[in-house]
Amino acid sequence: EAGVAQSPRYKIIEKRQSVAFWCNPISGHATLYWYQQILGQGPKLLIQFQNNGVVDDSQLPKDRFSAERLKGVDSTLKIQPAKLEDSAVYLCASSRQGNTEAFFGQGTRLTVV
Amino acid sequence: AQTVTQSQPEMSVQEAETVTLSCTYDTSESDYYLFWYKQPPSRQMILVIRQEAYKQQNATENRFSVNFQKAAKSFSLKISDSQLGDAAMYFCAYRSYLRSGTYKYIFGTGTRLKVLA
């Protein structure tokens, strides 16, 4: 089975610009997660979807970050405007409802200069 | 709220030797899952091993095993016969149940494992 797909792998932007990341989860996985991983730290959950509904976005900086999963399949995470402290790896993961394991994509490394 | 603590930022082990990575967590739940994930330079998180809290028997997967101490809220990973390919960041994770019927994963800060030839 195909894994979680993310694009792009790398992105460099200037501060105050906008950027978008795309994630296609494993087919049939109802739950989709976006994590932010700052260098030297563990992944921090930004937002979690169950199908096309948000179940947890308590740590999403909503003044600049937004995410959607309109058809309950693939998802887009956007940052507008970007700040230097947004430099991180953005990981997408998915899991089947009730399953014990989350599967991760390879992430997008964002550098804000 | 649940927390996961990994107190060893970096560990080193000689090839073919054994190493143990530590993890402690805090929770008021009685039924949960714990995981160890490996993150190589490719950045993709790979599941190494999982443990169900209600199972007293420690999980094992080939060269990887855990020492799960529920009362002490400790969940360490033992890697036997270490190989060069084991070099990576290792993250301990706790799976928390949400009322919506889904789960979220809480990660520690990670331990970087170096394997010396």
Side-chain angles (χ1 to χ4, degrees):
Chain A
E1 114 186 300
V4 177
Q6 289 189 248
S7 67
R9 288 292 311 275
Y10 304 90
K11 190 73 177 179
I12 301 174
I13 61 172
E14 296 183 347
K15 58 183 178 183
R16 291 187 290 273
Q17 286 187 324
S18 62
V19 64
F21 312 126
W22 175 81
C23 173
N24 191 18
I26 294 172
S27 178
H29 282 196
T31 307
L32 185 147
Y33 310 82
W34 282 104
Y35 286 88
Q36 180 192 58
Q37 186 178 16
I38 293 173
L39 184 65
Q41 299 182 17
K44 181 186 82 172
L45 180 69
L46 290 176
I47 189 167
Q48 178 177 343
F49 293 95
Q50 181 73 7
N51 296 308
N52 61 348
V54 175
V55 296
D56 187 351
D57 63 355
S58 56
Q59 298 196 80
L60 186 74
K62 298 179 185 63
D63 58 332
R64 298 185 300 107
F65 286 64
S66 64
E68 59 183 15
R69 193 186 184 198
L70 293 175
K71 296 182 180 179
V73 180
D74 56 345
S75 176
T76 303
L77 176 69
K78 297 179 181 178
I79 308 175
Q80 181 178 13
K83 293 185 175 181
L84 296 177
E85 58 261 36
D86 298 332
S87 295
V89 173
Y90 291 84
L91 294 167
C92 179
S94 70
S95 66
R96 193 178 299 276
Q97 189 165 2
N99 201 351
T100 59
E101 179 182 352
F103 295 82
F104 285 80
Q106 289 189 295
T108 297
R109 181 181 296 279
L110 173 67
T111 303
V112 182
V113 299
Chain B
Q2 294 83 12
T3 59
V4 177
T5 302
Q6 293 179 252
S7 58
Q8 305 156 316
E10 188 172 294
M11 293 283 285
S12 296
V13 62
Q14 287 290 140
E15 199 175 2
E17 295 295 310
T18 297
V19 64
T20 298
L21 309 184
S22 301
C23 173
T24 58
Y25 59 95
D26 189 26
T27 185
S28 58
E29 297 175 335
S30 58
D31 190 18
Y32 47 87
Y33 275 80
L34 295 162
F35 304 82
W36 279 98
Y37 277 89
K38 171 185 178 181
Q39 187 179 42
S42 68
R43 301 197 303 263
Q44 186 161 17
M45 303 278 272
I46 302 165
L47 179 67
V48 174
I49 198 166
R50 70 168 71 90
Q51 174 78 42
E52 301 174 70
Y54 67 86
K55 286 189 175 180
Q56 293 185 337
Q57 186 173 7
N58 290 322
T60 62
E61 287 286 343
N62 301 312
R63 297 182 296 108
F64 299 87
S65 62
V66 299
N67 183 5
F68 174 50
Q69 301 289 328
K70 190 173 183 179
K73 296 179 181 175
S74 171
F75 182 59
S76 60
L77 174 69
K78 185 171 83 171
I79 306 174
S80 304
D81 186 25
S82 297
Q83 300 175 0
L84 295 176
D86 295 334
M89 284 291 291
Y90 286 81
F91 290 95
C92 179
Y94 175 100
R95 191 187 78 165
S96 174
Y97 177 74
L98 299 177
R99 292 175 189 167
S100 59
T102 64
Y103 304 89
K104 76 173 183 181
Y105 296 78
I106 301 161
F107 289 84
T109 52
T111 296
R112 180 174 300 282
L113 179 66
K114 295 184 176 180
V115 181
L116 308 174

